[in-house]
Amino acid sequence: MAYKFVDNYREKGARKRLVDLLQKKGIEDEHVLLAMGKVPRHYFFDETFWSQAYKDIAFPIGEGQTISQPYTVAYQTQLLHIRKGDKVLEIGTGSGYQTCVLLELGAEVYTIERQEKLFERTVQVLPYMGYKPNFYLGDGSRGIENHAPYDKIIVTAGAPTVPDVLLRQLKIGGLLVIPVGNEQEQKMVTILKVAENDYEKVVLDTFRFVPLVGDKAW
Ligand code: SAM
């Protein structure tokens, strides 16, 4: 895929309209909206498909995977309540778009992807765009033990259950956001680690993600 990094008035205007739409759809967090207004989503698309980049749709990125729908990215990010300096584990780097939104919010991001081609692409493209997360290749359903504990963990693929190992890698007061369900649809779930072995779970809206594939997943 040939990427081009030009952010002209047409793309800036389309991005502004997308942010307005997200607000109309119920995203209220100003910081999230500002961050999404900054990340050039068309940079994650081949130039042929730039006209699709600011529609509120998921889009194929190769390897049978998708860049998440902007509303889904905004929804999950809003639930994370990111504060500057939060140490965040993202499972399922995909295109790296969600990663950039987290970085715009001031998070220190550890992101893991199991598909080698997607991993290699983000390792090249994100730093070129000025975004510098910590990249990992592997099975994120086990988390990343050697950098734990995390303030926040976000899973961007649908899991059959909540992997215990992820809960163990949260700080006390830390938050996990994960879509849980079958392969057709999942409920967005947030889990707050109140104390060691004490969790508060909230089940929210229905989404459809690609499956979390791995040792602690499908
Ligand atoms: N937020 C990402 C974006 O906007 O591009 C969405 C990524 S896509 C919906 C989910 C990603 O999770 C896919 O790239 C997939 O390969 C990855 N994935 C699935 N299971 C995984 C696992 N066990 N560990 C790491 N990545 C995984």
Side-chain angles (χ1 to χ4, degrees), residues 118-167:
L118 298 179
F119 165 79
E120 279 167 4
R121 195 187 293 162
T122 51
V123 165
Q124 284 184 2
V125 170
L126 265 60
Y128 188 81
M129 290 166 57
Y131 293 107
K132 297 195 176 98
N134 301 285
F135 294 102
Y136 294 86
L137 173 65
D139 177 8
S141 71
R142 303 152 174 262
I144 307 179
E145 183 71 55
N146 56 341
H147 291 290
Y150 303 96
D151 295 293
K152 314 280 163 66
I153 300 178
I154 172 174
V155 181
T156 72
T161 54
V162 177
D164 281 350
V165 66
L166 298 185
L167 297 176

Side-chain angles (χ1 to χ4, degrees), residues 41 44 58-59 61-69 72-73 76 90-99 111-116 118 122 136-142 154-158 208-218:
R41 192 166 184 263
F44 300 86
F59 200 80
I61 53 171
E63 312 309 307
Q65 306 303 323
T66 52
I67 180 171
S68 300
Q69 180 182 348
T72 305
V73 171
Q76 283 197 289
E90 180 195 28
I91 298 163
T93 315
S95 68
Y97 174 68
Q98 169 79 74
T99 319
T111 186
I112 181 163
E113 172 57 54
R114 65 180 282 280
Q115 298 265 8
E116 199 166 348
L118 298 179
T122 51
Y136 294 86
L137 173 65
D139 177 8
S141 71
R142 303 152 174 262
I154 172 174
V155 181
T156 72
R208 187 182 178 144
F209 282 82
V210 294
L212 182 72
V213 180
D215 187 36
K216 307 287 177 200
W218 295 105

